[in-house]
Structure formats: C-alpha cells, structure tokens
Amino acid sequence: MTETRNALIVKARKIREELFNASDASLPDVERRFNAVLADIQRIDHERSMTLEPRVSDPLPMDDTGNTRDGRHRFSILRAANRILSGRQLDGIEAETTQEYALRTGQLFDGNQFVVPHSLSLNTRAMTTDSGSAGKSVQTTVSPSLVDHLRNALVVRSLGATVLEDLYGNLAIPKQTAIAAGGWKAEGVAFDESNPVIDQIPMTPKRVGSFIEVTRQVIRQSSLSVEDMVRNDLVYAVAKSIDSAAIAGSGTGAEPSGLTTLLPVGNAQVVSLGTNGAALAWANVVDLMAKVDVQNALMGNLGYLTTPGVASKLLQTPKVAGQPVFILDDLTSTILGYPVARSNQVPSNLTKGTGTNLHAMIFGDWSSVYIGMWGGSIITVNPYSKDTSGIVRLTIENLVDIAFRHIESFGLIRDIVV
C-alpha cells in the first residue's frame, strides 16, 4: 500500500506542475486528472486511518493543550521520526495531522515525511548521546526543563500581522490604488467620469527551512525535555526567518523584501535625523507617526518597533529637557499611546554619511503585513546522510511569502545614534 501511495504521489506532483502552466483550454482536463489521483491517495489514507485511534479534536491544534489521545501522548516529532526509522507507518495524532493537511491543501507527502501542527524550522547543529545538550537528556529521571538559548524576540506576528494559511498556488490579492473622485457641477452639466484603479499584490511560495542532525539513540531514548528543545528550535528558526524577512528582508534570491529595504534613504515615508545620523528626540517619533497619518493610514494594528538599544535610550530621554516625563512610558511601554515592541531583528548596523552602527525604528499598521503560508511544516527524515555514524538528519521546509498591503502604512527612521 505504501509503494502504491508513493507512486501516486510522484504522479500527482507531475500533474500539479502542469496545473501552474495549463492554458484555459487544457485546465479542466488537468484538474480532472489531478483530482482523480488525489482521490486515490485519499482512499489509501482512509484505509490506513482505520487503524488509527479515534480523533477527539481538531488534528491541527496551534498549541500543545489538545495534542493528546485520551492522555496517551501529545504530538511528538521524535516519536514520528522513530516510527519512520523503524519502517512503521505513522499512527495517532502525527498521522492524523499529516493526512488532514493533505486533505485540506492537496499537498502530497512521501513515506519519510510528516507534517507538524504548526510552523516549525530547524537549527543546523549535531546532537549526540555522549556529548552536547541532547546527550544530557537521555536519562531515567526527566528534568522538568532545559536551560534554553537566549533568542531574538519574535514580534511581527504579535504586533498584528495578517497570516494567510493553507494557501495553494500563486496568490494575487486585489488592491485598490485610487478611488473615484467627486466634483461640483452646475445644473445640466455632466459629472466627469472617475473610476477606481485596481492593482494586485502578488504572493508566491518561497522555501524557508533548515535541518538538524541527531543520533538514532537520541531519537529512541530522549526524554520530554529534549523533545521540547527540538520543538522549540524548530519553531524558532523558521519563525525568526519570517520575522527577520518582514522587517529587513533583502529581496534578493528567494528572500522577500522587508520594510527597511522597501523604505530606503530618501523615501517619502522616511524621517531623516541628520547627515550622519543623530540621537532620537520627541519631535522625531511624532514626525514618524505623522508620516503614516498623512497617508490616511492611521488605523489598524498600529505600533512602534525598534531595537533594545533605542528603547533603553528612550526610557531615559525626556520629552522636554529637564522634565521627568520620558519619550517611552515605562509603565505602559507606549509612545503617543501606541505600543512599543523591541527586537534584535531590527537593524542596528545601518550606515549614513560617516555614521555607522545606526539603529532603526518603524511605526505603522502591522496588519498591513501579509504572511502567506502554503500548507504545513514538512519534516523529512533522512537516515542516510551520515549512516555510518548513526546520525539522522531531520530537514524542515515551509513555503512562505511576505507582502505589504500598503507600504504607505509605515514610516521608518534608519539613522538613530544610540
């Protein structure tokens, strides 16, 4: 059954490539052939699912609270990897999640792949049972927690970015770039024709991911603490890449363009502090908000985002010299009533004139950030990359893109001296 399913997957992937390039005349036939193959795959999955435990909740939870089977187990990356390495098919919630994503999105998965219930990614480092963090987790008494690595704050989604999930194919979001204009006319005089202008925001899937290497012994023996560590690393690496791209993506290669790239020096939405940069003052943060206001964009999930260095400085900088009222309110963490987030993902190495290591600050409507996600996070288990050492590679892949509904909804300062 597994060999038949894998052959159908290969066939469906070829047909899916045809879908993206099909003409209007050939599209119905290509869709019919794709749906027929997909139906065969779903039939096989249904037959395999008859051996699974009954579903007690939505198989795609966004956290761990629902990842149990009558108290038997929660979703486990290492458990799924172990079953694949042992030549057994997935079962329980791991199998249900993978099958559910296949049904919802039309994505096709090989026998050595599975889908996690939320977006994950991997850091590239090897873990063994006799050295390093993973080895210390193979124990009889499970430690309640691990000392986690210090990480950059992930802020774009928490500020209110719009997440578009379970996408399929390229996406074009309609965008109105001009509105109809009115006018005054005398009796009997026709009004001038005025039509709205509609454009599109294109989004195409781009690969983001990484890999991690673990020994077979780690996969078979590890405690819940190493499972949590692997899960946290998976979540963080992809989330950090998405966060960083939205803020400062270069726009080169497969990386999307971020705000600091789309708003270069001299852009109308950029507040300039000086020829070589300057310290931030109260008037500057007000001007930054005004850049958005003048575009009729002072709405939505508004907030400031800057570096920890700038935030620390603003906590000590009075609005008016000599007065004990500071730019950043320490009790509410707000400026002008808008929340202020901070992250090391925001650039602090910018240059201008002779100024170096200049910091950035962004203000705007964060719901204008679109994060498109195609399907789930696919993990591929590869036991062959370093088979002589007993090391297994787990590779994560997500298909993601980032776009902005209105870049005018943001203002930027990119030359702050701290």
Side-chain angles (χ1 to χ4, degrees), residues 199-368:
D199 199 356
Q200 290 183 332
I201 304 171
M203 299 187 76
T204 58
K206 299 174 176 63
R207 296 174 64 238
V208 58
S210 187
F211 68 86
I212 192 170
E213 293 178 338
V214 297
T215 63
R216 289 175 179 266
Q217 189 175 350
V218 167
I219 291 176
R220 291 169 179 165
Q221 297 184 24
S222 291
S223 66
L224 289 177
S225 57
V226 77
E227 168 75 25
D228 287 341
M229 181 184 68
V230 171
R231 286 167 59 90
N232 289 340
D233 276 353
L234 292 173
V235 171
Y236 180 76
V238 162
K240 178 184 176 184
S241 296
I242 296 172
D243 208 58
S244 179
I247 295 169
S250 65
T252 60
E255 186 175 62
S257 296
L259 286 165
T260 60
T261 300
L262 294 171
L263 297 175
V265 173
N267 186 280
Q269 297 302 112
V270 175
V271 174
S272 178
L273 301 187
T275 303
N276 305 309
L280 199 60
W282 172 246
N284 303 138
V285 297
V286 175
D287 289 343
L288 186 60
M289 180 271 294
K291 289 287 186 181
V292 177
D293 195 9
V294 76
Q295 297 291 339
N296 297 318
L298 205 61
M299 62 185 73
N301 297 327
L302 297 166
Y304 288 89
L305 174 62
T306 190
T307 68
V310 172
S312 176
K313 197 74 173 179
L314 294 184
L315 284 167
Q316 308 169 61
T317 305
K319 292 182 179 181
V320 179
Q323 299 295 319
V325 180
F326 300 96
I327 295 176
L328 177 55
D329 189 297
D330 63 326
L331 295 179
T332 62
S333 292
T334 60
I335 294 175
L336 291 167
Y338 300 111
V340 178
R342 63 205 75 178
S343 172
N344 284 317
Q345 302 275 76
V346 180
S348 58
N349 60 348
L350 301 172
T351 60
K352 186 179 181 185
T354 60
T356 59
N357 295 322
L358 304 177
H359 294 231
M361 172 180 267
I362 304 167
F363 174 80
D365 171 20
W366 294 94
S367 65
S368 286

Side-chain angles (χ1 to χ4, degrees), residues 86-97:
S86 302
R88 295 174 289 171
Q89 72 176 49
L90 296 177
D91 67 350
I93 193 170
E94 295 87 5
E96 287 193 17
T97 299

Side-chain angles (χ1 to χ4, degrees), residues 387-399:
D387 56 316
T388 57
S389 304
I391 293 177
V392 177
R393 175 174 292 179
L394 305 179
T395 301
I396 187 79
E397 178 178 326
N398 285 73
L399 295 176

